[in-house]
């Protein structure tokens, strides 16, 4: 399917309404007085056409063409001449609309001084000039005017349409803007007074003044006083309406050959009236637009000033990060006076890197928006955590001119986060301990079932006891983990618990020797179960090979050759077979369970005692604190 157009076609009702409205306005100024042979000095229909296209879109261009064509036909023009006039009208409106829309600062809802400049340049100049060229060229082609009269017709068409566009288009858009953004009437009495004085003055200046006292004062330049008054005090809509009223009164006087412009048409074909109204309109519209923009800027500045004094600290700096302004929240939070911070860079509020665990960044001139957490120092020396937002401000050329720095004290937030973390940690530890307790209880249940099985099958006493010992070693791990606030298991606790279980199960005394200067160490959580099973196998092996017969098994914990290593020595009466094997011997299960790094097993013979020495070092164990004998 082809892509849909972004501009929807106008509905027939909208086209008809726009065409009829254009015709009504065009017919009111279709021709001057009979027999004058002049093109209109004021064509408000051109301004209406521009306003319709700006507000309704180019889809209303056919309505402009049809309205202009019918208006020319009703005025008695030949069909081809009417086509040329309609072509000029729609060309002027379309070109002016396109040129206005291309200007970034053009906004029909919020006019400013630049909009007046754009209307003068792109509408009155380029747009209407293109329309006048199209109309005069078309009339020349159809022989409606002679080549000698072409230049004069072009100038008269351009003068009337440009003045109409300058007056009527702002009037329509200002009225529409007032309807969209309705506000209560202000200075109504003053506005009525200005309009009354202006209308009386225009009647005197442009009318048939016979009074000898008033005749010397009937000067058209008095209108600048009233238009400037309206532009400065009453806004764009009132000023535009006042200009249109003055333009109509001056136009009537020009056609009637009375008042200030009585000889203007005969002397210079209406150029005096046109230039006067163009200058008057530019002064009034520019003044009204400029002051309206200033009032809107002042309102925005008032809002910005209120927002500036917010609860968060705010700094405004130049492009070199030198402080230009600081709000009261910033001064109150840090304890400074305004004169103490102006001209300085924000680096003085940063805590020294050594004062906190976090290194303080120092770049306050980033190219993009920046958010980060910092530690700041108050004037009293107290440090506190802060969250800052740093935003560069750019001019129309994308160059950074200022920075806006927002600072928020997050002390309470950090305390809340710490309380939340501690609560979550407590819940996690409680849950882990509960899981370990349940695993231990289940393993103890399994051991109970194995003991029952042992009683039922005496011939399996040895293997069942071995399995019970292994299960008991695993249960010991979970019992120790469930009784602490972390998963760490001390090597001494594990050794004593495993030895105690084997002593009870095999009815053999096991002596655990732990010197008072023993260094505290814990087993890595991932190695706790393998180490427990290795200890179980080694002690059970000592019990089975002489320890039970002689009722003597000894386990000793001592320091290893390295400061972070530990020796567990297991000995029993008996002798190893000759020759003595090196580490790992024939103990298959122990060899499989022994950690590959941080564990080493050695067998030796000490007189009448068979000795196994298990050396553990990181990463299997971690020394908690070093003690000296």
């Amino acid at each position: 399917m082809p892509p849909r157009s972004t501009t929807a076609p106008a509905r027939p009702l909208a086209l008809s309404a726009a065409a009829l409205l254009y015709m009504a306005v065009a017919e009111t100024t279709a021709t001057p007085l009979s027999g004058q042979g002049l093109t209109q000095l004021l064509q408000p229909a051109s301004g209406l056409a521009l306003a319709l296209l700006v507000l309704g879109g180019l889809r209303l261009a056919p309505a402009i063409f049809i309205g202009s064509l019918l208006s020319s036909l009703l005025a008695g023009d030949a069909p081809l001449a009417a086509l040329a006039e309609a072509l000029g009208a729609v060309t002027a409106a379309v070109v002016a609309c396109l040129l206005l829309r291309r200007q970034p600062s053009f906004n029909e809802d919020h006019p400013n001084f630049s909009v007046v400049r754009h209307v003068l340049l792109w509408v009155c100049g380029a747009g209407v000039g293109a329309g006048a060229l199209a109309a005069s060229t078309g009339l020349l082609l159809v022989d409606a005017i002679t080549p000698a009269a072409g230049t004069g017709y072009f100038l008269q068409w351009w003068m009337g349409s440009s003045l109409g566009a300058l007056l009527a288009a702002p009037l329509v858009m200002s009225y529409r803007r007032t309807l969209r953004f309705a506000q209560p009437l202000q200075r109504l009495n003053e506005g009525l007074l200005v309009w009354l004085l202006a209308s009386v003055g225009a009647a005197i200046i442009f009318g048939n003044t016979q009074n000898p006292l008033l005749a010397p004062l009937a000067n058209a330049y008095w209108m600048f006083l009233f238009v400037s008054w309206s532009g400065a005090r009453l806004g764009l809509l009132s000023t535009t309406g006042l200009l249109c009223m003055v333009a109509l009164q001056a136009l009537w006087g020009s056609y009637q050959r009375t008042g200030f412009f009585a000889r203007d048409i005969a002397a210079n074909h209406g150029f005096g009236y046109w230039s006067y109204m163009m200058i008057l309109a530019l002064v009034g519209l520019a003044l009204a637009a400029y002051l309206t923009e200033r009032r809107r800027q002042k309102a925005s500045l008032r809002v910005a000033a209120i927002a500036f004094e917010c609860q968060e600290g705010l700094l405004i700096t130049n492009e070199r990060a030198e402080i230009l302004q600081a709000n009261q929240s910033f001064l109150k939070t840090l304890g400074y006076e305004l004169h103490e911070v102006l001209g300085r860079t924000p680096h003085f509020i940063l805590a020294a890197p050594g004062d906190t665990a976090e290194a303080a960044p120092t770049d306050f001139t980033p190219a993009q928006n920046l958010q980060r957490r910092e530690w700041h120092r108050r004037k009293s020396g107290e440090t506190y955590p802060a969250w800052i937002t740093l935003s560069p401000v750019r001019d129309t050329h994308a160059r950074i001119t200022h920075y806006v720095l927002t600072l928020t004290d997050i002390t309470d937030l950090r305390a809340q986060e710490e309380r939340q973390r501690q609560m979550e940690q407590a819940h996690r530890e409680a849950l882990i301990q509960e899981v370990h307790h349940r695993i231990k209880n289940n393993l103890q249940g399994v051991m109970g079932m194995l003991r029952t099985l042992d009683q039922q099958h005496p011939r399996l006493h040895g293997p069942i006891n071995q399995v019970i010992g292994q299960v008991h070693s695993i249960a010991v791990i979970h019992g120790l983990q469930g009784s602490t606030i972390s998963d760490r298991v001390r090597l001494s606790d594990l050794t004593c618990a495993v030895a105690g279980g084997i002593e009870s199960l095999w009815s053999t005394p096991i002596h655990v020797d732990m010197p008072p200067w023993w260094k505290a160490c814990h087993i890595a959580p991932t190695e706790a179960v393998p180490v427990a099973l290795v200890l179980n196998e080694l002690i059970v092996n000592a019990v089975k090979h002489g320890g039970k017969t002689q009722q003597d098994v000894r386990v000793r914990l001592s320091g290893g050759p390295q400061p972070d290593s530990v020796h567990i020595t297991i000995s029993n009466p008996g002798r190893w077979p000759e020759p003595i094997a090196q580490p790992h011997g024939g103990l298959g299960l122990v060899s499989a369970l022994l950690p590959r790094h941080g564990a080493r097993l050695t067998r030796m013979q000490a007189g009448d005692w068979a000795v196994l020495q298990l050396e553990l070092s990181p990463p299997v164990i971690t020394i908690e604190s070093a003690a000296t004998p």
Side-chain angles (χ1 to χ4, degrees), residues 97-184:
C97 178
L98 291 175
L99 292 175
L100 278 182
R101 288 294 187 188
R102 289 173 58 89
Q103 310 309 313
S105 58
F106 176 74
N107 188 343
E108 66 270 16
D109 290 328
H110 299 288
N112 49 45
F113 187 77
S114 297
V115 171
V116 177
R117 174 170 55 87
H118 293 325
V119 170
L120 180 64
L121 179 61
W122 303 114
V123 176
C124 299
V128 176
L133 181 62
S136 57
T137 302
L139 291 175
L140 285 172
L141 292 176
V142 300
D143 294 330
I145 57 175
T146 62
T151 303
Y153 182 86
F154 170 85
L155 292 176
Q156 290 178 348
W157 203 100
W158 177 71
M159 289 167 53
S161 293
S162 61
L163 182 57
L166 185 62
L167 293 177
L171 179 65
V172 175
M173 289 191 285
S174 298
Y175 183 72
R176 177 251 189 185
R177 185 166 47 250
T178 303
L179 293 178
R180 289 193 62 192
F181 308 100
Q183 294 181 352

Side-chain angles (χ1 to χ4, degrees), residues 608-623:
D608 294 332
W609 290 82
V611 180
L612 276 170
Q613 190 176 76
L614 177 62
E615 181 180 342
L616 300 177
S617 59
V620 177
I621 62 170
T622 302
I623 304 298

Side-chain angles (χ1 to χ4, degrees), residues 322-364:
E322 297 170 346
I323 299 175
L324 303 178
Q325 188 58 267
N327 70 348
Q328 291 299 318
S329 296
F330 171 84
L331 299 175
K332 182 178 178 181
T333 299
L334 278 87
Y336 288 95
E337 298 293 335
L338 183 60
H339 69 274
E340 295 178 300
V341 302
L342 294 182
R344 304 175 67 180
T345 63
H347 295 86
F348 74 95
I349 67 176
L350 296 176
D355 294 346
T356 64
E358 302 177 15
T362 57
D363 183 18
F364 285 97

Side-chain angles (χ1 to χ4, degrees), residues 69-279:
L69 179 62
L70 294 178
S71 176
S72 298
L73 291 175
L74 291 176
D77 292 342
L80 293 179
L83 283 173
E85 290 283 353
L87 179 63
V90 75
T91 300
V94 169
V95 172
C97 178
L98 291 175
L99 292 175
L100 278 182
R101 288 294 187 188
R102 289 173 58 89
Q103 310 309 313
S105 58
F106 176 74
N107 188 343
E108 66 270 16
D109 290 328
H110 299 288
N112 49 45
F113 187 77
S114 297
V115 171
V116 177
R117 174 170 55 87
H118 293 325
V119 170
L120 180 64
L121 179 61
W122 303 114
V123 176
C124 299
V128 176
L133 181 62
S136 57
T137 302
L139 291 175
L140 285 172
L141 292 176
V142 300
D143 294 330
I145 57 175
T146 62
T151 303
Y153 182 86
F154 170 85
L155 292 176
Q156 290 178 348
W157 203 100
W158 177 71
M159 289 167 53
S161 293
S162 61
L163 182 57
L166 185 62
L167 293 177
L171 179 65
V172 175
M173 289 191 285
S174 298
Y175 183 72
R176 177 251 189 185
R177 185 166 47 250
T178 303
L179 293 178
R180 289 193 62 192
F181 308 100
Q183 294 181 352
L185 293 176
Q186 297 179 352
R187 301 190 178 96
L188 180 60
N189 294 334
E190 183 179 356
L192 293 175
L193 177 61
V194 172
W195 276 63
L196 177 62
L197 293 177
S199 60
V200 172
I204 296 174
I205 294 170
F206 305 116
N208 191 7
T209 306
Q210 303 296 334
N211 192 319
L213 295 177
L214 297 178
L217 300 176
N219 193 304
Y221 298 104
W222 285 107
M223 288 297 106
F224 283 94
L225 172 64
F226 301 115
V227 170
S228 300
W229 183 357
S230 177
R233 299 279 297 175
L234 303 179
L236 195 59
L237 177 60
S238 178
T239 303
T240 308
L242 182 63
L243 285 169
C244 292
M245 183 193 71
V246 173
L248 292 175
Q249 288 182 292
L251 181 65
W252 180 254
S254 298
Y255 287 157
Q256 294 291 330
R257 293 184 171 87
T258 59
F260 190 82
F261 294 111
R263 294 182 296 275
D264 182 57
I265 293 178
N268 51 25
H269 304 287
F271 181 77
Y273 162 80
W274 178 83
S275 59
Y276 167 78
M277 285 309 308
M278 287 291 292
I279 296 173

